[in-house]
Amino acid sequence: GRGSGPSDAKERIVIGGHSSSGQAAFFASQERLFNFEPVAFFGLDPYQISDRTPEGNLHLNLPALYWGFTKTTCFVNVDKAALAAYRLTSPDVGGRILYAIKNNKNHMTHCVFTDRGCGMGMFIV
């Protein structure tokens, strides 16, 4: 939306996504591939994040909110999803938050963020 400042205020755009789209947005932010300046990142268990995403271990320099899980589901390793993105987000640019959903009883999975779930079902790895 538009800022509440002067009439020449820029649009404020939050980027992010779920799973691989979250990973793609994360990577594009790290590499500064957008033709605009995002103001924040919102990741619904972005996957597959690693310290090699991208090569060079660049940090995300945006305020960020991540939703992730405490247990691996749908073949999505918790150490390469929201937790990894959180670790690669600089704490010095307005904050970073990781909301870790406790799913030890397997009642919630990585695909809870989709309309119809995923083809992986309730697999635990």
Side-chain angles (χ1 to χ4, degrees):
R2 296 251 178 228
S4 59
S7 60
D8 62 343
K10 295 181 180 180
E11 287 189 3
R12 293 187 253 166
I13 300 173
V14 175
I15 58 164
H18 168 249
S19 200
S20 60
S21 66
Q23 186 273 343
F26 191 89
F27 175 81
S29 297
Q30 288 175 302
E31 291 291 324
R32 300 179 185 252
L33 299 178
F34 296 113
N35 64 355
F36 59 89
E37 193 69 37
V39 296
F41 187 90
F42 181 63
L44 296 170
D45 217 23
Y47 183 76
Q48 176 169 359
I49 307 290
S50 75
D51 60 359
R52 298 173 59 92
T53 305
E55 295 294 330
N57 197 13
L58 297 174
H59 282 79
L60 183 69
N61 291 312
L62 294 172
L65 171 63
Y66 300 103
W67 284 53
F69 298 93
T70 58
K71 186 175 181 181
T72 295
T73 62
C74 304
F75 295 112
V76 175
N77 184 317
V78 295
D79 294 324
K80 294 182 178 181
L83 179 60
Y86 174 82
R87 288 178 177 156
L88 284 174
T89 300
S90 174
D92 303 324
V93 293
R96 61 182 183 169
I97 297 171
L98 173 61
Y99 183 78
I101 300 166
K102 187 175 180 181
N103 64 328
N104 293 337
K105 294 184 180 180
N106 197 28
H107 62 284
M108 294 189 83
T109 66
H110 168 81
C111 294
V112 72
F113 301 116
T114 66
D115 290 337
R116 293 190 173 99
C118 74
M120 301 313 297
M122 301 292 275
F123 289 109
I124 304 296
V125 177

